[in-house]
Amino acid sequence: MIVFIARRLVISFFVLLAATFIIFVLTAFAGDPLEDLRQDNSPQKLTKIAERSERMQLDVPVVLRYLGWLGRIVRGDLGVNRDGQAIAPILSDALSATLQLVLAATVLAITVGIVIGIISALRQYSGFDYTVTFAAFICFSLPLFWVAVMLKQYVAIEFNNWLKDPVIPPVVIGALALLGGLVFGALTVGDRRRRLVAFAVGLVVSGTLFTVLSVTRWFADPGLGTPLILAFGLATAVGFTALTAGLQYRGPLYATLAAAVIGAVCSQVLGPVLADPTWLEIGGLLLLTIAVCLGLGYALGGLQRRQAMTAATLTGVFTGAMVFLDRMLQAFSAYSASVRHRPVSTIGARTPNYQGDFWQTGLDSAGHLLLPTMALILISLATYTRFSRASMLEVMNQDYVRTARAKGLPERTVVLKHAFRNGLIPVTTMMAFDLAGVIGGAVVTENVFGWRGMGFMFTKGLQEVDPGPVMAFFLVTGTTVVVFNMIADILYAYLDPRIRLS
Amino acid sequence: MFHARTSGKFLVAVAGGALLLSACAGTDSASKPTTSGSAAASSSSGAAKTITFAFDQEFSSYNGNTGAENASRNNLPLQRVLTGFWYYGGDGTVTPDKDFGTYEKISDDPLKVKYTINPAAVWSDGTPIDCDDLMLAWAANSGKIKGFSTAGTTGYELTDVPNCEKGGKEITHTYSEPFGDWAGALYSVGQVMPAQVVEKKGGLSEDEFIEAVKKKDAKKLADAIKFYNDGWVMKGQLLSEDLIPSSGPYKLSKFDAGQSLTFVANDKYWGPKPQVQTVVERFIALDQQAQALQNGEVNIAVPQPGPDVLNQLNALEGVTVKTGPQYFYDHLDFNLDSSPFKDRTLREAFAKCVPRQLIVDNLIKPLNPNAAILQTRLVASVQPNYADVVNGIGGEDKKYDQVDIEGAKALLEKAGKTGLEVKIGYQSPNPRRTSVAQLISDSCNKAGFKIKDNGDENFFGNGLTNNTYDVALFGWIGSDLISGSTSTYTSPSKCDSEHKGNNNGCYSNKKVDELLKKVNATTDKAAQTPLVAEAEKIMWQDLATIPLYENPNLTAWSEGVNNVIPNPTQAGISWNMDKWTIE
C-alpha cells in the first residue's frame, strides 16, 4: 500500500509539473492582458500600460516567466495578480467560500442520489422508478443559470412574501396531498388493492399534515418540539435496526430505541447548553452522542453486538441532528424579524454585519446557502441517481446474488451486504472526480449567487489574462484531483476484496 | 425478479410509520405558543438605520490614485471617505467641497491658485489635515519625484512644489503656463491621502517629509513611496484602523472579502453629519442586482441598463427607477491614415447614410426616454454649456441628423466609389454595438456602400492600434474637464501606435490644434465655450468623427430611501451617500 501511494505521488508530481507549464503558457496566450487599458482614454494610458507590463513582466518570454513563477512557488510565494494584490489571501478566501458553498450540496447530492437510485433499482419498472427516471432527465437538462433565476423568484422572493402570512391555500394542500398519495402508492408493490390503500394513507397523512401546518401558521414560527423529535427518533431507530440487524432480534432494537429516547430527553435537559453554543461544543456533543450510543449497542446488542453498535450510533446521531434542527427552527422567527422578514436570500454568503447568537447566525448562513445548494443538488442529484441505479441493477442480476438468495439469506442481507457494497464501486469513481471538480468551483452558481469562490477567481484570472491567480487555482484543483483519485483507488481495495493495490 | 414483496412491505412500514408519527406529533409542536415579539421589533428598528447599495466590482485598495488601483472599484466607495477640495457633483460638473476647504485663483499671469484647508479639518485619527497631506498628493501625482505610481499628472505637472510649512493650512501653486482646468485638477476627492501614515511607514518625521518633497529627494522617500504604492492594497480583510484614517463623513469599518464593505459615520468629521449611521456596499454582479433589490437585500441597485431589467424594475411596487445619460459616449472614428475615408467626400457620403436618429430611437430611447443624438465630442449633454456649444456649431452637425440616402449615393457616384467596402471595427461581444453596426449596414448599403461588420474580440489590442479598420465604433469616457479630451483631437507627431496616443484615426487640423491649445490655456470657464464650439464646428466640417449617443445609466432604489441622485460620471452613485436617508 505504501509503495503504491509513493509511486502514485511521484508520478502525479511530474504530471502536475507538466500541467502547470501547459496551463501557464495557455493562460499567457489566452488574450491581451492590456485590453482594458487600451480602451482607456485618459492621458496616463501609456504610464498605466508601462506599469502593468512591468508588473506582469510582459517583455519577458513566456517560458522564462514560467520559470520565474516556478522559482517563486518553490519558495512558497504565490506572487501578486496584475493589480499587485497578493494572491495568497485571495486564494484562501476563494477556497473557503467554495468549500462552504459546495460541501453540503455535494454530500447531500451523493447521499440522497444514491438512496433514490438504489430504491428505484429495487423497484425497477415501478411508477416510482419511471418518475425518478423522468425527473432525473429533466433535472439533467436544466440550464443552471435559468434554474437559479427561477429559484430566486419563487423560492426566495415569492416564498418570503408568502411567509408574511403563511397560510397554504386549500388548492395547494390538495395538490400536496395528492402528491403524497402518489409517492406512497408508487413505493408500494403488490396488487391494486394494496396500492390503493397506500395511496389513500399517503393522501390522508400528507393532507392532514399540511392542513395542520397551515392552520397553526407553523412556518411563521417553526419548531419540532420534543414529542416530534421522539417520534422521528423512534421511527429511525426501527428503520436502522431493520436495515442493519433485522427486526427479529431484540437486542439491537432495544439499543436503538434507547438511543432515540435518550436523544429526545436530551432536547429537554440540555436547554442551557444549547442556548448559545459554539461549534466546538456541538462537536463535543456529537462525540459524546457517538460514545453513548456505542456503549448502548455494546451493552444491549447481545449476539448482534456489532450491528447494534452501528444502528444505535446512526440513530443517536440522527436524533441529535433533529434536536439541532429543532433549536435552529425555534430561532427562526427572531432571525426572520431581524432581516425584515425576508429570511431566504438571493445573493451573497451572509448578511453584512449580521450579529446574533449561534442559531441566528447559523440560520443566516442557511438562508444564504439554501438557493445555491438547491441549484447544485438539482443538477448533480440526477447523475448520482442514474449512476447508482444502473450499477445496482447490474449487481442485482449477478450470479452471486442469486446464490445468496438460494442460500436462503434474508432480502436485507442480500441487498445491503452482497449487492450494495459492490454496487458502490463505480459510484466511488464518480464521487472522487466530482469532489475534486467541486473544489474547482461551480462557476455559474458562484456567479449567479454572488459567491466569490474558486470558479470566480479562475474566470477572472483568465479574462484578465493573468497567469498568477489561474496558476494558484490550478495548483489547488490539480492537487485535489490527484489526491482524490488516489483515495478512490484505495477505497476500491476496501470495497472490493478482489482488488489489491500493490 | 427478486423478492420485491418482502422488501416492499418493509419499506412501506418504515416510511408510513415515520409519516404517521410525524403527523401526530406535528400537532403537538405546532400548537405550542409563539415566542417572538419584542426582540424582533428592536432588531428590525436597528437594521433600518442601514442603507445597502450594490456595485459590481470589489473594493481592493484604500489608495485609488496609483496606476493599478485607479478604478471605480476603489474610487466609487471612497467618495465620502477621502474628501478633497472638489468632486463631481450630481450634474457631473466640478463642484468645490466647501467643508474641506476653499481655493481661488489669485492671479492670471502667471496663474496662481491659493488653497486653504478648513481650520477644523481633521483626520479620523485626530491628526489635523494640513499642507503635508497636500504635499503628499502633489509628490505622488506631479510625476516630478521618481517612483510614485500615479494615474494622472494632469495639472500637477504644471505646478511647482507647494510652499508648505509644518502644520500649515494654506498653500499657493504657481502654474508654469495658463491652465484652463485649474479648478478641477489638483486635490480632488480621493487624492488627498493621510500623510502621517506615509511618514510613519517611511520612517520620516513631518519636517523630514516636507523637506524631502521640497528637495524631490526620491531616495530619502523610498520607503514612503513603497508604502504609498502598495501599502494600502487590501489583503483579504480591512487594513488596521491606524492605516486608513478618514477625512470624510464616513470611515471604513469592515471589509468582507468577496461580499461587502461597511462604512460607519466618522465621529471626527467636522462638516454636516451623515443622515444614516451605517452604509454597506455589497459586491453583486450587474445582472443579479434587480432580484437582490426585489428581495430587499439591497436598497439601491445600479444594474446594467437593458429593456428587460427596466421592465422588471418598473413592475416592482415602491421602487423608484431613474434613467439618464452617462459621461460615456459612443462614436464612429474614421481611419484617416490608411483607409479610403482619407477622402472627405466619402466621409460625407458615409455620414449622410448613418441613421443617427434611428440608432438613438431604437437602442437608447427604450432605456432613457430623454435621450437625443449627441452633437459634440468635447462636452457632454448634461454640461451647462452644451446648448451654447451646439448653437456655436452653427448647424453643421444638423446636416447629418437625418439620413439622406440620395445625397450619399450621389456623393459616392461622384467619387466613383459605388460599392465601396467599409469595415466597421468594434470590440465584441457587445450587443449594442453589433446592433449599431447592423443599423448602419441596413441604411448605408442602400446608398451603395458595402458595410462589413468587423467586430473582433481583440479590436482594441490589434485593430485600433494598427489601423486595420475603415470606421471604428467605440466609446470615450468624457468629463467636465476639457484637458482630458483635447489630446484626442490634436495632430499626432507621427501616425503609429506609439505616437498617436488616443487620436487613433490620426485626425489632424492645424486650426483645431490651435483652438484646443487655446481652450486649455483659458482659465475662465465661460470664455472656453466659444472656442470649443469653434473647434467642434471645424471637426464637423472635416467630419473628423461622428458622435452618436451617450450610453444610458440606470439606477433603482427601494421605497423609503431618499436623496439618491445618480451621477453621470465615474464617481457613481455614492458621491452623496452622506445625504441619503431611509425611513
Side-chain angles (χ1 to χ4, degrees):
Chain A
M1 176 80 102
I2 290 167
V3 177
F4 166 80
I5 292 179
R7 201 170 55 209
R8 272 297 283 271
L9 283 180
V10 171
I11 296 173
S12 307
F13 173 77
F14 285 104
V15 171
L16 265 183
L17 194 67
T20 54
F21 178 72
I22 295 172
I23 300 273
F24 192 97
V25 173
L26 286 179
T27 312
F29 287 144
D32 177 11
L34 300 171
E35 186 186 306
D36 58 318
L37 292 182
R38 294 193 208 279
Q39 312 185 30
D40 190 354
N41 58 333
S42 74
Q44 293 306 308
K45 182 169 155 179
L46 288 178
T47 330
K48 288 186 191 176
I49 288 181
E51 198 173 305
R52 186 181 294 168
S53 303
E54 196 194 326
R55 186 177 295 112
M56 294 180 73
Q57 295 183 296
L58 293 180
D59 49 344
V60 177
V62 175
V63 178
L64 291 184
R65 257 190 280 161
Y66 170 74
L67 290 177
W69 172 83
L70 203 61
R72 283 195 300 277
I73 284 297
V74 172
R75 290 197 300 275
D77 177 15
L78 285 172
V80 294
N81 69 6
R82 68 168 197 184
D83 293 329
Q85 296 155 12
I87 292 174
I90 300 179
L91 178 69
S92 73
D93 286 335
L95 192 58
S96 80
T98 293
L99 285 180
Q100 284 177 49
L101 182 67
V102 297
L103 221 54
T106 313
V107 171
L108 273 173
I110 290 176
T111 331
V112 178
I114 289 180
V115 169
I116 293 184
I118 286 175
I119 296 180
S120 71
L122 296 178
R123 294 275 168 281
Q124 197 186 7
Y125 304 137
S126 68
F128 180 77
D129 185 29
Y130 285 129
T131 316
V132 166
T133 308
F134 179 68
F137 278 119
I138 287 194
C139 293
F140 216 42
S141 45
L142 287 179
L144 192 52
F145 62 89
W146 179 82
V147 173
V149 172
M150 288 297 125
L151 283 175
K152 282 184 177 194
Q153 189 61 37
Y154 294 106
V155 182
I157 296 168
E158 299 287 333
F159 182 71
N160 283 337
N161 290 342
W162 173 78
L163 268 185
K164 288 192 176 134
D165 184 21
V167 174
I168 312 175
V171 182
V172 179
I173 293 184
L176 287 170
L178 202 63
L179 194 72
L182 285 175
V183 171
F184 271 56
L187 275 172
T188 314
V189 172
D191 53 25
R192 179 167 295 175
R193 208 180 63 83
R194 277 176 61 105
R195 283 158 171 270
L196 279 176
V197 170
F199 175 80
V201 169
L203 189 78
V204 172
V205 165
S206 28
T208 326
L209 177 68
F210 287 111
T211 312
V212 170
L213 290 181
S214 169
V215 170
T216 56
R217 284 178 168 62
W218 185 82
F219 286 98
D221 184 17
L224 297 175
T226 310
L228 201 62
I229 294 173
L230 183 66
F232 275 132
L234 292 177
T236 12
V238 175
F240 280 127
T241 315
L243 280 178
T244 55
L247 287 173
Q248 65 270 45
Y249 304 105
R250 290 295 156 209
L253 186 63
Y254 290 151
T256 52
L257 290 176
V261 171
I262 293 179
V265 171
C266 281
S267 77
Q268 291 285 344
V269 179
L270 283 179
V273 182
L274 291 177
D276 188 12
T278 61
W279 277 111
L280 202 66
E281 286 168 28
I282 295 289
L285 284 175
L286 179 66
L287 288 180
L288 191 69
T289 312
I290 294 174
V292 168
C293 293
L294 287 176
L296 280 175
Y298 188 83
L300 300 175
L303 285 175
Q304 304 276 320
R305 189 166 278 160
R306 248 188 65 206
Q307 287 91 328
M309 281 159 77
T310 317
T313 310
L314 287 172
T315 311
V317 171
F318 184 84
T319 317
M322 301 295 297
V323 176
F324 186 85
L325 181 69
D326 177 47
R327 285 286 162 167
M328 200 157 247
L329 288 178
Q330 284 176 20
F332 181 80
S333 74
Y335 168 72
S336 177
S338 70
V339 289
R340 299 179 312 282
H341 299 281
R342 304 203 73 85
V344 183
S345 305
T346 65
I347 200 93
R350 54 200 148 262
T351 306
N353 308 312
Y354 186 77
Q355 277 170 346
D357 62 16
F358 175 80
W359 303 109
Q360 289 169 350
T361 44
L363 277 173
D364 191 52
S365 294
H368 285 82
L369 271 171
L370 182 68
L371 296 194
T373 306
M374 283 175 81
L376 285 172
I377 287 184
L378 267 185
I379 309 290
S380 51
L381 186 69
T383 331
Y384 281 109
T385 312
R386 298 303 299 157
F387 220 80
S388 53
R389 176 181 180 272
S391 92
M392 194 68 185
L393 274 179
E394 195 194 330
V395 172
M396 288 302 281
N397 290 320
Q398 297 273 320
D399 285 347
Y400 67 85
V401 173
R402 195 171 306 134
T403 316
R405 289 218 176 97
K407 281 196 295 187
L409 287 179
E411 183 68 13
R412 174 185 65 77
T413 320
V414 175
V415 171
L416 284 180
K417 281 268 159 62
H418 293 76
F420 177 62
R421 245 179 98 165
N422 287 307
L424 270 188
I425 294 176
V427 184
T428 316
T429 323
M430 213 182 79
M431 261 193 292
F433 274 110
D434 216 40
L435 279 172
V438 296
I439 305 289
V443 176
V444 178
T445 319
E446 274 174 16
N447 189 29
V448 176
F449 291 107
W451 288 65
R452 310 256 159 146
M454 297 292 279
F456 179 80
M457 178 177 157
F458 172 70
T459 42
K460 183 164 176 272
L462 204 54
Q463 273 160 10
E464 293 178 348
V465 197
D466 186 0
V470 175
M471 296 311 290
F473 165 86
F474 177 74
L475 278 182
V476 174
T477 49
T479 316
T480 337
V481 170
V482 167
V483 169
F484 271 96
N485 271 305
M486 202 167 67
I487 293 178
D489 283 346
I490 297 171
L491 272 181
Y492 280 169
Y494 169 76
L495 288 169
D496 187 347
R498 287 171 304 181
I499 297 175
R500 287 283 166 269
L501 287 182
S502 43
Chain B
M1 275 293 101
F2 48 88
H3 297 241
R5 229 194 151 117
T6 21
S7 52
K9 259 189 206 160
F10 153 71
L11 276 172
V12 170
V14 172
L19 264 177
L20 264 176
L21 281 167
S22 68
C24 305
T27 334
D28 290 337
S29 74
S31 58
K32 78 185 159 65
T34 49
T35 50
S36 64
S38 60
S42 67
S43 52
S44 69
S45 70
K49 292 208 179 100
T50 300
I51 291 186
T52 308
F53 71 98
F55 189 59
D56 65 316
Q57 291 158 43
E58 181 171 351
F59 179 70
S60 63
S61 172
Y62 199 60
N63 184 0
N65 301 301
T66 62
E69 297 293 350
N70 180 247
S72 314
R73 63 172 187 265
N74 300 321
N75 296 338
L76 181 140
L78 295 175
Q79 287 286 315
R80 298 308 284 153
V81 175
L82 291 169
T83 56
F85 280 103
W86 61 274
Y87 58 93
Y88 289 112
D91 54 358
T93 55
V94 169
T95 313
D97 185 345
K98 299 260 166 51
D99 293 316
F100 189 86
T102 54
Y103 60 110
E104 54 181 333
K105 185 172 71 183
I106 51 174
S107 125
D108 258 321
D109 192 21
L111 175 63
K112 278 189 177 179
V113 184
K114 183 173 148 193
Y115 290 86
T116 313
I117 302 170
N118 188 333
V122 60
W123 292 101
S124 60
D125 64 3
T127 316
I129 299 176
D130 50 33
C131 67
D132 67 327
D133 300 311
L134 302 186
M135 280 215 109
L136 173 62
W138 184 88
N141 295 306
S142 63
K144 290 181 180 169
I145 299 179
K146 285 270 165 283
F148 277 110
S149 170
T150 173
T153 60
T154 312
Y156 285 99
E157 65 203 357
L158 303 175
T159 60
D160 54 346
V161 178
N163 53 337
C164 173
E165 296 303 327
K166 184 182 174 183
K169 289 262 187 187
E170 248 183 49
I171 57 168
T172 304
H173 275 298
T174 310
Y175 284 77
S176 59
E177 55 185 79
F179 182 57
D181 281 331
W182 63 270
L186 273 52
Y187 310 127
S188 74
V189 62
Q191 273 185 344
V192 184
M193 302 297 296
Q196 71 272 24
V197 176
V198 174
E199 285 159 9
K200 198 171 151 224
K201 289 284 166 181
L204 300 165
S205 71
E206 190 174 338
D207 280 324
E208 284 169 342
F209 175 77
I210 294 174
E211 211 45 47
V213 174
K214 280 187 179 166
K215 288 191 180 138
K216 298 172 189 162
D217 187 346
K219 212 181 226 170
K220 202 161 180 203
L221 290 168
D223 287 344
I225 292 173
K226 192 165 178 300
F227 177 80
Y228 180 89
N229 289 348
D230 301 321
W232 271 308
V233 177
M234 297 295 143
K235 291 166 189 72
Q237 55 186 349
L238 203 61
L239 299 171
S240 76
E241 206 180 337
D242 57 322
L243 294 183
I244 50 168
S246 143
S247 59
Y250 285 105
K251 60 183 176 185
L252 303 185
S253 82
K254 192 176 168 215
F255 171 56
D256 187 356
Q259 299 291 322
S260 63
L261 178 68
T262 306
F263 310 79
V264 295
N266 169 12
D267 50 9
K268 290 267 171 48
Y269 185 62
W270 59 95
K273 298 282 175 211
Q275 305 288 319
V276 177
Q277 204 61 21
T278 313
V279 174
V280 177
E281 175 195 4
R282 292 189 72 168
F283 315 127
I284 299 178
L286 291 171
D287 49 352
Q288 307 303 327
Q289 291 186 5
Q291 281 184 315
L293 180 76
Q294 194 180 356
N295 199 32
E297 284 157 280
V298 295
N299 303 105
I300 304 167
V302 191
Q304 178 97 51
D308 296 340
V309 178
L310 193 62
N311 287 340
Q312 189 185 349
L313 289 171
N314 278 330
L316 299 183
E317 219 172 290
V319 167
T320 312
V321 182
K322 181 128 190 196
T323 58
Q326 281 184 67
Y327 268 78
F328 176 40
Y329 71 96
D330 282 10
H331 55 99
L332 296 166
D333 265 24
F334 292 107
N335 177 354
L336 301 168
D337 175 44
S338 55
S339 83
F341 286 115
K342 276 190 281 192
D343 180 358
R344 190 194 169 277
T345 321
L346 292 177
R347 294 205 293 276
E348 191 180 344
F350 186 73
K352 277 183 190 296
C353 69
V354 172
R356 295 167 80 212
Q357 188 63 50
L358 189 70
I359 290 171
V360 171
D361 287 349
N362 283 11
L363 303 174
I364 309 301
K365 279 215 173 137
L367 303 171
N368 176 16
N370 300 323
I373 303 176
L374 182 69
Q375 303 291 22
T376 57
R377 303 158 184 87
L378 299 167
V379 291
S381 67
V382 288
Q383 273 175 258
N385 61 349
Y386 178 73
D388 292 339
V389 172
V390 172
N391 280 337
I393 296 173
E396 286 291 335
D397 54 322
K398 303 282 188 298
K399 289 182 188 166
Y400 309 103
D401 280 4
Q402 294 304 325
V403 176
D404 177 9
I405 300 287
E406 289 312 313
K409 212 181 227 167
L411 282 171
L412 257 185
E413 272 162 18
K414 202 175 96 190
K417 293 275 186 176
T418 306
L420 177 72
E421 188 184 81
V422 178
K423 294 191 289 284
I424 299 188
Y426 59 93
Q427 182 84 10
S428 67
N430 187 320
R432 185 180 295 152
R433 288 183 192 155
T434 306
S435 308
V436 171
Q438 186 58 47
L439 288 173
I440 293 176
S441 165
D442 290 348
S443 171
C444 286
N445 283 351
K446 283 187 221 150
F449 284 102
K450 260 166 81 183
I451 306 291
K452 191 162 170 252
D453 180 332
N454 247 19
D456 177 13
E457 279 179 28
N458 199 17
F459 176 68
F460 283 103
N462 189 10
L464 201 57
T465 35
N466 299 330
N467 284 359
T468 56
Y469 59 92
D470 295 326
V471 174
L473 167 61
F474 61 104
W476 278 148
I477 293 167
S479 83
D480 188 27
L481 304 178
I482 193 72
S483 54
S485 45
T486 47
S487 71
T488 309
Y489 304 100
T490 306
S491 309
S493 57
K494 197 172 159 219
C495 189
D496 63 20
S497 61
E498 219 168 297
H499 296 90
K500 69 184 185 180
N502 288 327
N503 190 350
N504 291 295
C506 296
Y507 171 69
S508 168
N509 185 319
K510 291 278 164 311
K511 190 90 205 325
V512 173
D513 291 353
E514 216 169 275
L515 281 166
L516 292 178
K517 205 170 161 200
K518 218 160 148 191
V519 179
N520 263 336
T522 305
T523 53
D524 179 9
K525 194 96 191 155
Q528 291 178 355
T529 305
L531 297 170
V532 171
E534 183 66 25
E536 288 278 8
K537 185 175 176 181
I538 298 172
M539 284 195 273
W540 270 113
Q541 283 163 350
D542 282 350
L543 287 163
T545 68
I546 306 175
L548 293 174
Y549 52 83
E550 289 175 305
N551 286 288
N553 74 7
L554 172 60
T555 314
W557 57 91
S558 54
E559 204 167 7
V561 177
N562 290 311
N563 294 340
V564 177
I565 303 172
N567 188 311
T569 71
Q570 299 271 298
I573 191 70
S574 61
W575 71 278
N576 72 336
M577 67 192 227
D578 53 325
K579 301 282 183 288
W580 293 345
T581 60
I582 186 164
E583 283 154 19

